[in-house]
């Protein structure tokens, strides 16, 4: 027989902490948004995002890409810390004790709930030393300036920092497909920097994601 006391003592919660209907709390009267821990959330309207891109372009020109990338790295590192803290507090156990499926589910729901799009991880190339992260309906790329190359510089930096912290090793990130160029989803490849040199070259040549991955896999043959 299951005792009530045992149920109350069970801290291995299975519900998704970042579920939108319970994670975000707001007050129209006060104009405040908070998460379920009481931390403040910031809503970024389309107009503000466009203005940030425009302002950076006017002030820094081509260097705006590097600025966005470095901002993304700062964001990704701090996001990883908060993400782990919230999950650790909720499950009452370390992030390392969560199963991979629990971790990925939390990350996917967190991304959606914050309005950043839909994120997924492709482990197809894991044996070759690469992780592919895919994002659909990006909240940032939609409003980025149109270039003849992928423009997810902010997310590229964020993903690089997040997964570097997670893996405890310095990783590099290259965006190989972009919604701004007509792709169905944005593709980001993570791996050791030296091994991603071919990906950087492939992007400059305008190669597709599949073609770039073939180059990366082939270099190890």
């Amino acid at each position: 027989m299951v005792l009530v006391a045992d149920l109350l003592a069970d801290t291995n919660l299975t519900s998704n902490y970042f579920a939108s209907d319970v994670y975000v709390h707001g007050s129209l009267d006060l104009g405040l948004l908070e998460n379920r821990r009481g931390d403040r959330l910031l809503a970024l309207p389309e107009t503000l995002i466009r203005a940030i891109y425009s302002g950076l372009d006017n002030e820094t020109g081509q260097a705006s890409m590097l600025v966005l990338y470095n901002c993304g790295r700062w964001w990704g590192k701090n996001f990883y810390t908060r993400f782990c803290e919230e999950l650790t507090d909720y499950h009452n156990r370390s992030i390392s004790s969560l199963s991979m499926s629990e971790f990925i589910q939390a990350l996917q729901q967190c991304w959606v709930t914050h309005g950043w799009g839909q994120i997924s991880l492709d482990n197809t190339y894991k044996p070759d030393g690469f992780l592919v992260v895919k994002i659909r309906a990006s909240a940032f790329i939609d409003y980025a300036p149109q270039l003849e190359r992928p423009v997810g510089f902010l997310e590229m930096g964020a993903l690089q920092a997040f997964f570097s912290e997670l893996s405890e090793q310095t990783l590099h990130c290259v965006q190989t497909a972009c919604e701004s160029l007509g792709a169905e989803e944005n593709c980001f490849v993570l791996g050791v920097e030296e091994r991603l040199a071919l990906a950087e070259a492939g992007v400059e040549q305008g190669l597709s994601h599949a073609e770039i991955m073939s180059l990366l896999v082939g270099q190890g043959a």
Side-chain angles (χ1 to χ4, degrees):
M1 181 177 68
V2 178
L3 301 177
V4 173
D6 293 334
L7 291 175
L8 294 175
D10 184 9
T11 58
N12 185 21
L13 305 176
T14 57
S15 60
N16 197 322
Y17 171 79
F18 293 102
S20 303
D21 56 341
V22 294
Y23 183 77
V24 179
H25 303 272
S27 169
L28 291 177
D29 294 334
L30 298 177
L32 296 178
L33 284 176
E34 297 178 337
N35 65 14
R36 60 194 302 174
R37 290 203 313 176
D39 299 327
R40 293 284 182 86
L41 298 176
L42 176 66
L44 297 177
E46 173 187 337
T47 304
L48 177 58
I49 297 177
R50 290 187 185 278
I52 291 174
Y53 281 124
S54 177
L56 281 175
D57 184 56
N58 290 332
E59 292 294 328
T60 63
Q62 291 187 343
S64 62
M65 297 182 290
L66 180 61
V67 173
L68 287 167
Y69 169 73
N70 285 326
C71 286
R73 291 177 60 191
W74 179 85
W75 167 35
K77 185 175 183 178
N78 285 278
F79 168 58
Y80 175 80
T81 299
R82 294 194 305 273
F83 181 79
C84 291
E85 285 177 352
E86 291 190 58
L87 284 184
T88 297
D89 289 347
Y90 181 62
H91 291 281
N92 198 27
R93 53 196 173 107
S94 68
I95 195 78
S96 60
S97 69
L98 298 179
S99 68
M100 184 55 67
S101 60
E102 288 177 311
F103 181 86
I104 292 176
Q105 182 190 39
L107 177 61
Q108 290 176 324
Q109 185 61 59
C110 178
W111 213 266
V112 169
T113 296
H114 282 86
W116 301 332
Q118 299 173 326
I119 191 171
S120 62
L121 275 57
D122 181 356
N123 290 310
T124 302
Y125 303 96
K126 183 178 179 181
D128 301 292
F130 303 106
L131 171 66
V132 176
V133 179
K134 299 179 178 179
I135 299 176
R136 288 177 176 264
S138 166
F140 305 102
I141 290 176
D142 270 353
Y143 311 121
Q146 297 297 305
L147 302 175
E148 295 182 359
R149 58 158 297 150
V151 294
F153 306 107
L154 186 69
E155 287 152 310
M156 194 162 62
L159 293 172
Q160 176 177 316
F162 183 91
F163 285 99
S164 290
E165 293 291 324
L166 178 64
S167 63
E168 298 183 342
Q169 61 177 317
T170 302
L171 299 177
H172 189 58
C173 182
V174 177
Q175 186 180 6
T176 55
C178 190
E179 290 173 324
S180 68
L181 297 175
E184 292 185 358
E185 56 195 357
N186 306 287
C187 296
F188 301 85
V189 184
L190 289 139
V192 178
E193 184 172 6
E194 303 81 63
R195 299 197 63 212
L196 285 178
L198 285 176
E200 297 275 12
V203 171
E204 294 298 327
Q205 296 170 29
L207 299 183
S208 68
H209 171 71
E211 290 171 328
I212 291 173
M213 294 313 301
S214 293
L215 287 176
L216 292 178
V217 173
Q219 70 181 329

